[in-house]
Amino acid sequence: MSHRVVALCAAFMLGPIGPNGTMGPNGPFGDDARGAVAPPPAAHGDAYYSYSLSRQAWYRQDYPEALRYMQQAMESDPNAADLALDLARLHMEISQPEEAARAARHAVDLAPGSVAAQRLLADSLFLIATKDSAGDNADNGAINQAYQAYRKVVQMDPDDAEALLNLGKLQISRGDLKESLDSLQRHLQLAPASDEGTFIAAQVLVRLSRFEEAEKLLETAVQRNPTNAQLGLALVDAYEEQGNLDAAMSEARRMEQRRIEPIRVQFVLAQLSQRMGKPADSFEHLKKMADLMDARPGEFSDADRSELELRIIQTLLDAGKVDDAIARSIAGAHRYAQDPRFDLRRGEALLVAGRSAQAEALFREKLKAATGEGDATQGGTRQQISDTYLAAAARQERAKRLGEAESLLRKSIEWNGQNAAALNYLGYMLADRGERLDEAITLVRRALVSDPKNGAYLDSLGWAFFKKKEYVQAEKALEDALSYMAEEPAIHDHLGDVYYATGRTDDAVRAWQQALERGAEHPDLIRAKLAAASPAVTPP
């Protein structure tokens, strides 16, 4: 889900600014200038003559000529607000938002009570803010200017639905989720059939953990527009975020039956099946996805196909079909010879199957091939091999084959002694079993050398100290972990255990409740601890 909301904040879901989706004088910025039906500006003589020539050129879509004559008109009558406004509209039509903003500011200065001028200023600033502003590259100064301009528009015209929508987008980018929701809800009151407004408002509601409201909003919209892929997938996401995987699967299957975005929906069905512990079903959906892509070969690159094939191999491993995974890895290595990951996946499958000698021989061959390309390539290959051992170890650990998992983790560290993830994994596994706690602490501390602010690693360190009954150090490490990962339920759970062990039952109960509220992985175990502690809890 977070990935669907980060993109919304970066690009503000930039779509049509105006209600009819056009950017020219035939759209939200004015009358049909090409037909010259707009009333002439309040100007006379040379200004009106130049303005008329500009409108004719505009109608012919001769934009350089239209711009030249419009600028001549402004020079003849620089105090004509209508001329400044039309100049801004022309700049907007030819995708010059910076020039449009300058002209719109002039129009606002000349006619401060003009809603049209203020709206055009806001729209041009919005385009500047969204131009080349993906992710961390967003221009906060431009965003704030557009935000202030739209606030002024809404003050002047509270019923401007499109201004409220754009204001809501900008508020999301500023992190003002509650204010954004207010703007979007006002937008939907004015435009209840707005699919874009519904989608964005639902995304905000999900981020605010108001899942039922998001679902109700999207369910109504999907009933109104059942073929809208964006709304349907947003509803799937909302169900999934709440943990209602059955409802998410039901909606995804509805989209599958209606043949809505079939490739994308098969991918969603595969992900949901994986989350529901049904890797065989996940494999079938990915296979259908591959068949659909094969039917449209010109639309997908080799990179797209190799990514899907690698996911299929991983799903086969999840389903325990190791031989099939090996066979597809070999075929993939032949088909996508430049992609080293297929040999790595084959090595992972061999490790899971217990054929360690074959895997090791394959890895040594890969390392030898990389040696001739320079130390950097060799180092990268060692990292990839180390990560492959780590992935195989994780599979064995999930299957409760802890001895095999530990052996694979040690091999991972042998290939790369700075693999922080492997060091932490082994350290936490030992700590969780209460075994070799000094070694566990040493391993996790080695992981923290390369990533000292990693909340997961600090949690592992705190847990190892807790198991060793060194509660002061455990509490410090866990509180440090929480400062970096405040929403991680496991850290709250571990802190609760520390508080309880040191006689602070009230604090322990609060920490365990925080873990439950954040979706703890084993809620029944936490509820059991709460029940055991409840007789000693001090009433509020």
Side-chain angles (χ1 to χ4, degrees):
M1 189 294 294
S2 63
H3 60 286
R4 288 179 180 89
V5 176
V6 169
L8 171 67
C9 295
F12 316 111
M13 291 299 300
L14 178 58
I17 290 178
N20 66 358
T22 63
M23 292 284 291
N26 194 33
F29 305 132
D31 299 313
D32 188 354
R34 296 172 189 165
V37 297
H44 302 285
D46 291 342
Y48 177 64
Y49 177 70
S50 296
Y51 171 78
S52 298
L53 292 175
S54 174
R55 300 287 282 195
Q56 291 173 29
W58 198 342
Y59 175 73
R60 298 192 307 270
Q61 298 186 31
D62 185 351
Y63 296 117
E65 194 78 349
L67 188 58
R68 183 170 70 85
Y69 281 122
M70 190 68 74
Q71 288 169 337
Q72 286 181 5
M74 279 298 305
E75 291 170 4
S76 299
D77 193 352
N79 294 319
D82 288 344
L83 279 178
L85 190 56
D86 257 15
L87 176 60
R89 289 169 176 156
L90 179 53
H91 279 302
M92 286 289 276
E93 174 140 349
I94 58 179
S95 301
Q96 296 177 343
E98 290 84 0
E99 291 83 352
R102 281 193 288 271
R105 284 190 194 281
H106 186 47
V108 169
D109 290 340
L110 293 170
S114 169
V115 177
Q118 183 63 40
R119 171 65 192 274
L120 189 52
L121 174 60
D123 290 340
S124 58
L125 291 171
F126 184 88
L127 288 181
I128 293 169
T130 58
K131 185 179 178 182
D132 301 325
S133 61
D136 294 336
N137 296 322
D139 184 342
N140 290 329
I143 290 169
N144 289 334
Q145 287 186 52
Y147 164 74
Q148 295 296 341
Y150 274 119
R151 284 191 62 191
K152 185 73 177 290
V153 172
V154 171
Q155 289 171 2
M156 298 171 75
D157 182 6
D159 294 334
D160 188 332
E162 294 296 329
L164 285 164
L165 177 61
N166 287 343
L167 177 61
K169 295 174 186 178
L170 290 163
Q171 287 166 323
I172 291 171
S173 72
R174 289 162 51 92
D176 301 332
L177 295 184
K178 291 183 179 179
E179 292 82 353
S180 172
L181 184 59
D182 179 66
S183 298
L184 293 167
Q185 288 174 331
R186 289 165 63 193
H187 163 77
L188 289 172
Q189 288 172 357
L190 295 165
S194 169
D195 288 340
E196 184 182 9
T198 297
F199 172 77
I200 299 174
Q203 296 285 300
V204 174
L205 286 166
V206 167
R207 287 185 65 182
L208 294 171
S209 299
R210 293 164 61 173
F211 300 110
E212 292 182 3
E213 293 174 71
E215 291 161 10
K216 183 177 180 181
L217 184 64
L218 288 165
E219 286 165 355
T220 301
V222 167
Q223 288 175 0
R224 180 181 70 241
N225 192 354
T227 60
N228 187 305
Q230 185 184 56
L231 293 174
L233 291 170
L235 182 55
V236 171
D237 286 343
Y239 287 138
E240 188 177 0
E241 284 291 330
Q242 193 180 19
N244 191 347
L245 298 183
D246 288 335
M249 180 65 78
S250 177
E251 175 59 24
R253 289 200 180 282
R254 180 196 71 81
M255 297 181 70
E256 179 187 30
Q257 291 167 2
R258 297 185 71 107
R259 299 183 181 277
I260 301 169
E261 294 278 354
I263 293 176
R264 203 167 155 198
V265 168
Q266 288 301 326
F267 182 72
V268 170
L269 285 165
Q271 287 183 305
L272 288 170
S273 297
Q274 194 71 27
R275 280 202 64 186
M276 296 173 80
K278 300 177 180 179
D281 290 351
S282 182
F283 169 76
E284 291 301 325
H285 289 300
L286 291 174
K287 196 164 172 297
K288 287 180 183 178
M289 184 179 171
D291 292 340
L292 290 167
M293 290 171 72
D294 284 340
R296 294 152 59 180
E299 296 181 29
F300 302 98
S301 66
D302 279 351
D304 295 327
R305 295 307 311 271
S306 64
E307 288 293 338
L308 177 58
E309 189 63 23
L310 286 163
R311 190 175 287 270
I312 289 173
I313 292 167
Q314 293 285 12
T315 304
L316 286 169
L317 284 172
D318 293 339
K321 298 181 178 180
V322 178
D323 290 339
D324 290 343
I326 292 172
R328 289 194 84 117
S329 297
I330 294 171
H334 286 300
R335 182 173 179 180
Y336 308 105
Q338 300 304 313
D339 193 330
R341 293 175 294 175
F342 287 96
D343 282 337
L344 294 168
R345 295 291 73 77
R346 174 158 59 117
E348 182 183 347
L350 290 169
L351 291 172
V352 171
R355 294 154 63 180
S356 301
Q358 293 181 46
E360 188 77 7
L362 175 64
F363 294 147
R364 293 290 172 191
E365 182 182 338
K366 286 186 66 63
L367 186 67
K368 183 178 179 181
T371 303
E373 301 177 24
D375 291 340
T377 302
Q378 186 183 32
T381 301
R382 295 191 73 90
Q383 176 65 49
Q384 291 173 337
I385 294 170
S386 177
D387 286 341
T388 302
Y389 272 102
L390 171 59
R395 291 185 182 281
Q396 299 289 42
E397 191 264 341
R398 288 195 295 270
K400 308 301 182 186
R401 293 190 284 268
L402 302 183
E404 291 91 330
E406 182 178 336
S407 296
L408 290 169
L409 285 168
R410 293 191 184 280
K411 285 293 294 184
S412 174
I413 296 167
E414 181 182 316
W415 275 93
N416 178 14
Q418 295 180 328
N419 189 332
L423 290 163
N424 175 70
Y425 204 126
L426 179 55
Y428 184 82
M429 196 169 74
L430 292 175
D432 204 41
R433 288 152 55 184
E435 299 176 1
R436 289 163 276 164
L437 295 174
D438 287 335
E439 182 186 4
I441 291 168
T442 298
L443 288 164
V444 178
R445 279 179 165 160
R446 285 174 61 188
L448 284 163
V449 168
S450 61
D451 195 356
K453 296 182 180 180
N454 189 303
Y457 299 172
L458 288 164
D459 176 56
S460 298
L461 183 63
W463 193 233
F465 277 126
F466 172 79
K467 290 285 188 167
K468 201 178 176 186
K469 298 185 179 180
E470 294 184 6
Y471 299 127
V472 173
Q473 294 189 72
E475 184 173 344
K476 183 183 183 310
L478 290 169
E479 287 180 345
D480 286 346
L482 206 60
S483 71
Y484 297 114
M485 297 178 68
E487 297 303 311
E488 174 53 50
I491 302 174
H492 289 279
D493 182 22
H494 291 162
L495 263 175
D497 290 350
V498 172
Y499 294 147
Y500 192 70
T502 53
R504 290 170 287 172
T505 305
D506 289 359
D507 291 338
V509 167
R510 280 191 289 270
W512 289 329
Q513 288 172 338
Q514 291 282 330
L516 288 175
E517 290 172 9
R518 286 162 173 76
E521 186 177 0
H522 302 292
D524 290 343
L525 295 178
I526 296 177
R527 291 191 186 100
K529 288 190 285 191
L530 283 167
S534 60
V537 175
T538 302

